[in-house]
Amino acid sequence: MIPFDHVSASQIDTFTDCRRKWWYTSVLGIRPPPSPASALGTAVHAALETYMLHGTPPDRSPAGQIAAAGIPYARKTALVELDMATHPANRRRLGGVAVHGRIDVFDPTDTPPLVQDWKTTSAFKWSKTESELRFNSQAILYARFAFDYADHIGKPTDTVRFQHVNLLTKGPPTANLVAIDLDHAHVDAEYQRLDRLVVNMAAVATATAPSQVAPTESACAKFGGCYFRERCAALGIFARPLHMKHSPDSHMPSQEDSTMSNPAVAALAALQAKKRAATAASTPATPPPAAPPAAPMASTGAGSEITPPDAGAEDLSASPLAWTGDARLEFEERAAIREHEGKQPRALAERAAAQDVRRERAKSKPATSAPVEAPPPSIHSALTTDTPSTVAAATSLSSTLAEPPPLPLPSTSGAAAEGSTSPRPAPLVLYIDCYPMKGVSVTHLEDYIAPMQRKVAARAGMPIYSLIEYGKGHAHVAAMLLEDPPTGNLYVNSRLPASAAALEVLLPLAAGMVRGH
């Protein structure tokens, strides 16, 4: 956990988009790998910085040609990449913490003082307008620093000019300018609003688990898809919570305490509570005969076990359409989101959920004759096909197992293998674009290969491995993956650039595989 001791404009923007995404990055410290677009933007910034500091014109690389379009807006007399964190003029606080930031171009000698930021974009339609800049967190924080800087050098001012120089990354290299003048009163008012927002950020920073932080549905698909969306799915929360409320102190929504459990479990819990209430009201004179013990279901997290209802209770096994209340609302929301994302058709979701209910009900029925013990189902056979029915069966099977049963591993020859007392590594089971049920530990491919990506980039002398020429970075990472393959349950997002090369290595090594839709 990273202590929340400073805030920046990018942190505020991330928190405004999605609180949980901000918690992952700024509190838990998980940094998503840079995208090709952000890597290109960093290279353009570096080319312009070199030009302003040393007079070296941009080269003929793609980043250099884009940077050349911004040369008319480059000021060699201005302060370049000014770090607010260490400057003596930066004494203000937001929500009790320091304000950090790095200003691309700052010219305090201009009238009014100029604050400029380079922005790369694939189309000018994505550029911020003047009205958007007026309330932009970066514009407010940088303008506030510019006012304080002017007071620090003894040249106070009433106005600061803030501008974006937008550089086109697709098509002929082109630049345009969006500029606004910000006065003292407006900046002070917006600074107070941001101060209240940062107080909320400090409160969210005290969370110890992602489930304690409310996600934002509208942010899941922004900027090509949130890096943490699959992690949220693993928690059983696919989008915005079912119950939201608005705090009077903030325009941001906060989540009420609610349990995002399996819809079938929620429905069974409601029926069990209803049956207990009916039993207590009847108060029979003589105790009923003891019933054979029923197999308990997995705990829902409240510390109690749930037993499936009797055969005379309301029939929920036919279809989730029979569910009511919060269970039905939660199922509808999850099913709609997964169907919209192309992960699971609604019919398959209903069939898998109904199968869970039927299985738990069958476990609760007393045996009428001596049961014939059958061998346990093989998860290996359930995981090696891609058909929807097999995926549903494998998912249902995972819900009853805390961990997959050990699968046969290649035997090792020699006496050393017979006398070895060290535990064998868990077999590799791939979950491609889908997750096992709760209770089954899983490793993310991107987390496993992140150290390998850094090693490959360092060997090639590149800031990130994806910049290695001819796209060979993924192949180098796959080669390292072959030398040190993972074990246990591995989640693979097939849409990530590194996944294709990694799967070529992992598929022959896997003992089982489940593929989502």
Side-chain angles (χ1 to χ4, degrees), residues 92-128:
R92 293 185 181 267
R93 296 292 183 267
L94 269 179
V97 299
V99 180
H100 287 188
R102 192 176 291 273
I103 304 177
D104 289 347
V105 180
F106 179 44
D107 192 351
T109 64
D110 204 351
T111 305
L114 173 69
V115 177
Q116 178 175 296
D117 199 66
W118 306 108
K119 295 293 182 183
T120 52
T121 180
S122 59
F124 287 141
K125 66 179 180 179
W126 306 119
S127 304
K128 294 191 181 300

Side-chain angles (χ1 to χ4, degrees), residues 33 227 230 430-434 443-450 453 465-466 471 473-479 481 486 490-508 515:
Y227 178 77
E230 300 297 342
L430 299 177
Y431 288 87
I432 304 175
D433 297 329
C434 64
T443 302
H444 288 73
L445 173 65
E446 60 265 32
D447 293 341
Y448 189 83
I449 66 176
Q453 293 172 341
Y465 81 104
S466 59
H474 302 309
H476 290 309
V477 172
L481 192 62
L490 185 72
Y491 167 76
V492 181
N493 183 348
S494 64
R495 295 181 295 274
L496 295 180
S499 297
L503 283 175
E504 290 185 9
V505 173
L506 295 177
L507 283 173
R515 187 183 296 274

Side-chain angles (χ1 to χ4, degrees), residues 262-264 267 314-317 319-325 327-329 331 349-350 353-354 357:
N262 187 290
E314 180 183 359
D315 184 14
L316 297 182
S317 63
S319 170
L321 295 175
W323 299 344
T324 59
R328 182 61 196 172
L329 291 175
F331 176 83
E350 294 184 354
V357 178

Side-chain angles (χ1 to χ4, degrees), residues 12 94 132-137 139-141 144 182-197:
I12 291 175
L94 269 179
E132 291 173 331
L133 282 185
R134 191 165 298 279
F135 299 95
N136 178 257
S137 59
I140 299 303
L141 295 186
R144 179 70 271 173
L182 299 171
D183 58 65
H184 242 304
H186 175 76
V187 171
D188 288 343
E190 284 299 299
Y191 203 84
Q192 292 178 9
R193 178 182 67 82
L194 295 179
D195 184 81
R196 295 192 295 270
L197 181 62

Side-chain angles (χ1 to χ4, degrees), residues 63-78:
Q65 295 183 49
I66 296 171
I71 288 181
Y73 303 97
R75 300 187 175 209
K76 296 183 179 180
T77 59

Side-chain angles (χ1 to χ4, degrees), residues 234 298-299 398-404 436-442 489:
S299 172
S398 298
S399 66
T400 63
L401 299 176
E403 291 289 346
M437 296 296 287
K438 289 184 179 179
V440 179
S441 61
V442 64
N489 302 313

